[in-house]
Amino acid sequence: MRRRELVLAAFDRRPEWQVTVQNTDCDGAIIIDNDLFYWGEYEGIDWERVHAGQQHACCYCFRKGLIRKAHLCHNTKKWAAKHPNGWLAKSVPEAFIFELDDIDYIEEALCDVPEVRDMPDGSARWIAKPSITNQATGICIFDRVSHLVTALHANEDLREWVLQRYIERPLLVGKRKFHLRAYVLCVGSLKAYVYSQVLALFAGQPYDTELQDLGNLDAHLTNTCRLGEGEVEEEQAVRLLSELPLMLQGEGMSAEDAEHRIQQVSIDMQAIIGECIDAVSGELTFFTLPNCFELFGFDLMVDDSWRVWLLEANAEPDLQQTGDRLKPVVEGLVEGIMHLVVDPLAHSQGHLASEPAAESGCRVKTDGFWVQVLDKEQGRHLGGSGMAFQ
């Protein structure tokens, strides 16, 4: 189910709102109460109205400090230097920003990253990620500079990269690597929440623990966009973090130990995300507004020593990657956003927020809930009426 359909269904359970669909294509924006509220694509937001306090919107105007890999690399490094005992100092893999203005000057550009340039062949593994692409486009895992150079030539239109030390010993379940996708909601200026139902997204092929074939991306990358190329069906590749204890028990771990381990992963993950939002919120490249909110998808990984690592954050996460089996997860997620954002706005506008359609049997059933991981006052105000989320 597409995001717009989920949002429309949530508003159907709230008859106090007048809902208009801006256009008929599948990603058309949803306009609420004569332009008071906009829920749609970033490109369609009227920022003059938002900054004047005349409209609430589903995105922040400036958020590349979080969602662009190079900006996040810079901001987390800056924070870690000031907070050496914090979570980010120990939970972000070593990484460097690599800028390539001209494909003919790769050797000169590599002078800025001597840690990579000078490594002996096969002595370390790194992953090169373009700063602004998604769906694993252009990603290269390499253990020698010549392989990086080949990848750069194959993607010569991409100018900004992040070279990140590869997590060579990830936690494996069923011999496969996985990463965690956590949904994170930022509201106003500024509260941040993590949705309790976290996805575990598995690679399509068993992981090569000897790291002999770094080019086999189906074993190394865990993006759902690669499922069609791997050996694993969607139902096996997309799980919930809460399902892992049972899977770990099947591999010989005791039930008590499995539950404790996964619970600690969840606690650590929430702490890392909260500190990450705190870190970027002080930058001009992540500028919050009191009448905006935004849903992000955070990607994290657990290594074989149960250490949680922050990899990246994404804007407008794909809610379809849960698949049909876990559709109630995203339905509950959207309903949770309504409770945190839309229902308080209804009260502020003099509406009586509905108890979502309990009488019609349409109430969303979900085990998910939002966990608050940050609550700070940014002191960023609007230039107009000053409407704000409560």
Side-chain angles (χ1 to χ4, degrees):
M1 184 177 289
R2 288 184 176 272
R3 177 183 60 184
R4 190 184 72 166
E5 295 170 341
L6 291 166
V7 174
L8 285 173
F11 275 109
D12 283 345
R13 296 187 289 272
R14 291 165 171 78
E16 68 272 13
W17 292 103
Q18 297 177 2
V19 179
T20 303
V21 178
Q22 196 172 57
N23 55 54
T24 57
D25 66 50
C26 60
D27 292 319
I30 300 170
I31 307 297
I32 314 299
D33 271 24
N34 298 318
D35 230 16
L36 171 67
F37 192 100
Y38 173 98
W39 200 328
E41 298 299 318
Y42 175 91
E43 291 75 13
I45 297 174
D46 185 342
W47 290 110
E48 285 192 14
R49 289 180 55 79
V50 171
H51 282 282
Q54 299 167 359
Q55 186 178 79
H56 294 256
C58 65
C59 297
Y60 293 116
C61 186
F62 300 107
R63 71 269 218 262
K64 64 183 179 180
L66 176 66
I67 64 174
R68 285 201 179 181
K69 299 176 185 69
H71 282 78
L72 182 61
C73 176
H74 171 79
N75 290 334
T76 53
K77 273 189 173 184
K78 179 179 175 181
W79 177 273
K82 295 180 178 179
H83 304 83
N85 297 319
W87 279 99
L88 295 185
K90 60 184 178 182
S91 303
V92 178
E94 181 183 16
F96 302 96
I97 299 170
F98 178 68
E99 296 181 342
L100 182 62
D101 296 326
D102 191 320
I103 196 67
D104 294 326
Y105 292 92
I106 293 178
E107 290 186 7
E108 288 80 358
L110 283 170
C111 291
D112 293 332
V113 283
E115 295 85 352
V116 174
R117 180 199 61 189
D118 298 336
M119 71 173 184
D121 288 352
S123 63
R125 283 86 183 175
W126 295 79
I127 182 168
K129 298 188 279 188
S131 182
I132 61 173
T133 63
N134 52 26
Q135 297 186 333
T137 302
I139 283 182
C140 165
I141 304 169
F142 63 96
D143 62 357
R144 57 203 66 212
V145 176
S146 60
H147 291 176
L148 171 62
V149 171
T150 299
L152 294 173
H153 276 287
N155 298 276
E156 60 181 53
D157 292 336
L158 299 174
R159 295 288 182 257
E160 188 176 57
W161 298 72
V162 169
L163 307 182
Q164 188 177 76
R165 192 173 290 277
Y166 190 56
I167 299 172
E168 299 182 12
R169 296 288 175 252
L171 179 66
L172 303 181
V173 178
K175 298 183 179 180
R176 284 178 166 82
K177 175 182 176 180
F178 66 94
H179 83 268
L180 302 178
R181 162 55 64 90
Y183 294 110
V184 178
L185 179 68
C186 292
V187 181
S189 290
L190 170 70
K191 295 180 180 179
Y193 305 83
V194 175
Y195 197 55
S196 63
Q197 292 186 301
V198 176
L199 303 184
L201 306 177
F202 282 79
Q205 295 182 12
Y207 186 70
D208 171 23
T209 56
E210 300 300 320
L211 299 173
Q212 295 298 310
D213 186 5
L214 297 179
N216 181 13
L217 296 184
D218 286 327
H220 289 279
L221 299 186
T222 50
N223 304 66
T224 53
C225 62
R226 302 191 61 86
L227 285 182
E229 304 171 39
E231 301 172 351
V232 179
E233 297 296 327
E234 181 184 87
E235 185 172 329
Q236 296 175 289
V238 183
R239 312 290 297 214
L240 291 175
L241 178 61
S242 59
E243 294 177 319
L244 294 193
L246 190 59
M247 299 172 70
L248 291 167
Q249 290 174 51
E251 299 186 355
M253 184 177 289
S254 71
E256 182 180 4
D257 192 21
E259 290 288 350
H260 172 73
R261 291 285 193 180
I262 296 303
Q263 182 181 33
Q264 191 61 51
V265 165
S266 181
I267 292 170
D268 292 351
M269 176 195 66
Q270 291 168 9
I272 292 167
I273 291 172
E275 187 169 300
C276 179
I277 297 292
D278 197 10
V280 302
S281 67
E283 304 294 330
L284 291 178
T285 50
F286 188 85
F287 195 88
T288 61
L289 288 172
N291 55 332
C292 293
F293 71 98
E294 186 156 1
L295 180 69
F296 299 98
F298 274 65
D299 291 336
L300 306 99
M301 185 163 290
V302 184
D303 67 20
D304 62 0
S305 65
W306 293 93
R307 185 174 179 178
V308 182
W309 296 90
L310 172 65
L311 301 180
E312 60 185 60
N314 303 274
E316 301 179 79
D318 180 12
L319 299 183
Q320 291 180 284
Q321 65 182 343
T322 55
D324 292 335
R325 184 179 74 93
L326 298 179
K327 187 170 69 173
V329 172
V330 293
E331 291 176 341
L333 181 148
V334 171
E335 183 63 32
I337 294 175
M338 302 294 282
H339 279 301
L340 288 172
V341 176
V342 177
D343 293 346
L345 181 59
H347 285 291
S348 73
Q349 296 299 308
H351 296 310
L352 180 61
S354 300
E355 180 68 20
E359 69 282 357
S360 64
C362 296
R363 183 196 302 270
V364 170
K365 297 179 181 179
T366 177
D367 294 326
F369 54 90
W370 290 98
V371 178
Q372 186 168 331
V373 295
L374 183 68
D375 184 358
K376 65 184 296 187
E377 176 55 55
Q378 290 283 86
R380 292 171 175 175
H381 305 290
L382 297 169
S385 64
M387 290 190 303
F389 293 120
Q390 303 299 309

